[in-house]
Amino acid sequence: MRFTLALKNILKSKGRSLTTLLLSLFTTTLFIVYVAFMDGSHHQIIKSSVEIYTGYAHVNLKGYRDESDYGNLIEDASSIDEILRNDTSIKTYAPRFETYALLSGDEKSVGSMIVGIIPSKEEKLSKLASSLSKGEYLNDNDTNAIYIGIKLAERLKITIGSQIAMVGSSIDYSIAADIFTVKGIFKTGLFDFDAQSAFVNKSYLDSVILSDNKATYFTVDFQNNDHINKVTSALQAKLPSQYEAVGWDSLLSSLVQAMLVDSIFGYISISIFFLVIFFVVMIFSYVNIYTRTREIGLLRALGLTSKDIFIILFIEILLLATVAVSIGAIIGGVIAHHYELQPIVIDGIAEMYKDYGLVSDEVPMHFDLFTITWNALTIFILNLLAIVYPALKINKLTATEAMRYV
Amino acid sequence: MKLNHITKTFYPDSPKEVKALTDINLTFNKGEFTTLSGESGSGKTTLLNIIGGLDSATSGQIFLDDEEISAYSEKKMAKLRLQEIGFIFQAYNLIHVLTVRENIGFIMKLLKFEDKEIESRILELASILQIENILEKLPGEISGGQQQRVAVARAVASRPKLILADEPTANLDSKNSERLMDMLRTLNEKEHVTVIFASHDKYVLEQSKRIIVLDDGVVIEDR
């Protein structure tokens, strides 16, 4: 009978029920969309950084992350190459040799990172080739051709066909120098990367700095990069003990930290949002319940206990919240999914967040069923909690007090 | 039912203090048809509410079948009201979201009567009270007289030992008042239900077997 009464209360008091329903539905949708947007922007930043150049995992000598110098090179790159080639969990991989050198154009000199790459392999691993802005991307037969970032080109005041001098250090710490011709200019959108990086064919760089069969690290793309810690641990087990496999979250730890800080501010906003939702729903429930004081007094007079009244009110909010949160979650999920596939474009956001690695004005939302579920459950629980105080308060009135209530 | 030295004071120890009842001592026997009478503010509704456990006395004791019910917890008192007492209110107080049928069967449902028994009792009462044709209507769709008959049906449906009726004829015309009193008298005689009214309606007083007159919270006459 309590359930029937609760159900009838909902169905017969359409205005009150509809307002409660819409309030919960709207907050659920808003919350899911807000979190999807926040997560989406974080995913976008991390994805950009990982896919443009860094890669999902690196294999390097232990100690290389702490001291990235010639003392921590992979000395026998072919042996690592063989291990990676035979690992079926790996989709593709490539060795890189990162060094630092002085690049000089006709007018200016700039210190920059020079990376030896295998152009054909790198094309499958990173977005270097697709980031071409002017000229051409490298090929495996290139010798003294160089592919440089657009900001670096601007700093050196050079363009396609210009010649630049490189002065650096061989791995035996002798001076290594050569002249390169600018073959291509790339623009990834990663501000620092575009301003400091230049790429040459690894086989040619090896001959310049004497790094044949050596690499600073291998970058690896797995068949499935979703559980990076799991796959890197599996790879680690196959490597000789002096090497380590490191996932993107460790490689980009400063970026991950920045995202974490941003998330903390996001969650502070969410907490305020929660509080607002909680009090709005509670005040609304309070008003709703108090408009029914006489009715509740009558039920008490007829023999229902305060527990029965609480159960009736609880069933009402349970039914309404279930319907509202379910619909809200579906709407929120559909919006998140839609804007994941067709991202929102916010003009100027890439410029504003360039230091964080946001490379596009498109900000996709992140559709994730687990996140949507906990978002919806949170609002659902808040709805249930919000009626506790009003219900307890009204139950303090005696039946006669409640029936006299105007 | 026995009332011993019942006193009720509203807002005690405050400037607004009102003594609603003073030292009430009464006994009600099974099957009585009694009216608590008196002017407005004499304390008859307060006394009725205390008898029904809707309000508590400031001091004194109430016994039902030799058991002190004035010491009952809220939960136990609610159970007693549900099982033993039927209420008829001046303002009908039907549950507006339930149909007439559901209102009549409401207490029986709470007491977990069999559905068949509930349905048969609803039909029986609907026939006695001549409300068979409005069983599927909501309270808002029927007249005041009909609502009061539904309230009577609800009050007696579970066969309580005691029916408490607060000014049941106050909102009824003379024809409906007569009909209501006839019904309650019939139920009193046929089902031996004890009925206590709080009323100053002449017609109710004429129909009552016993009249208790209150004045300023004190029993001044019991005949």
Side-chain angles (χ1 to χ4, degrees), chain A residues 264-371:
Chain A
I264 288 169
F265 284 108
Y267 284 116
I268 289 170
S269 309
I270 289 172
S271 303
I272 295 167
F273 185 70
F274 280 160
L275 270 179
V276 171
I277 292 170
F278 181 74
F279 281 107
V280 166
V281 176
M282 192 178 80
I283 290 166
F284 188 72
S285 304
Y286 195 88
V287 172
N288 259 347
I289 290 173
Y290 263 79
T291 57
R292 298 165 60 188
T293 306
R294 280 175 62 87
E295 170 196 330
I296 288 167
L298 168 67
L299 295 174
R300 297 275 299 279
L302 293 177
L304 269 73
T305 61
S306 46
K307 187 180 162 193
D308 292 322
I309 303 295
F310 186 86
I311 290 171
I312 289 170
L313 296 173
F314 193 78
I315 293 171
E316 285 177 26
I317 196 71
L318 188 76
L319 293 174
L320 283 171
T322 303
V323 174
V325 170
S326 304
I327 298 173
I330 291 169
I331 295 173
V334 168
I335 293 172
H337 188 58
H338 174 76
Y339 285 110
E340 184 180 44
L341 300 175
Q342 294 179 357
I344 297 168
V345 177
I346 305 172
D347 289 333
I349 196 170
E351 180 61 25
M352 198 184 301
Y353 288 98
K354 64 184 179 187
D355 290 343
Y356 287 104
L358 198 63
V359 296
S360 165
D361 285 342
E362 288 187 347
V363 185
M365 290 191 182
H366 181 60
F367 176 83
D368 178 66
L369 275 178
F370 176 75
T371 308

Side-chain angles (χ1 to χ4, degrees), chain A residues 90-102:
Chain A
I90 293 171
K91 188 159 76 181
T92 182
Y93 65 92
R96 285 176 183 166
F97 197 103
E98 285 182 1
T99 185
Y100 290 86
L102 187 70

Side-chain angles (χ1 to χ4, degrees), chain B residues 32-50:
Chain B
E32 275 196 18
F33 200 73
T34 302
T35 298
L36 304 173
S37 181
E39 297 297 316
S40 286
S42 60
K44 54 187 187 299
T45 296
T46 304
L47 183 57
L48 199 74
N49 285 341
I50 288 174

Side-chain angles (χ1 to χ4, degrees), chain B residues 1 28-35 64 81 83-88 121 124-125 128 151-165 181-197 207 209:
Chain B
M1 176 176 273
F28 299 98
N29 296 312
K30 188 172 166 51
E32 275 196 18
F33 200 73
T34 302
T35 298
L64 181 67
R81 282 201 298 272
Q83 292 176 334
E84 313 283 5
I85 305 171
F87 289 94
I88 302 168
R121 182 70 171 155
E124 179 192 353
L125 289 167
I128 296 170
V152 171
R154 180 181 65 188
V156 302
S158 62
R159 296 187 172 84
K161 287 181 183 168
L162 176 64
I163 289 176
L164 301 174
M181 289 308 289
D182 284 348
M183 283 177 238
L184 288 172
R185 186 181 270 283
T186 308
L187 289 167
N188 169 253
E189 285 167 0
K190 281 189 179 173
E191 303 199 2
H192 308 291
V193 180
T194 305
V195 183
I196 304 175
F197 297 95
Q207 297 294 310
K209 294 174 189 166

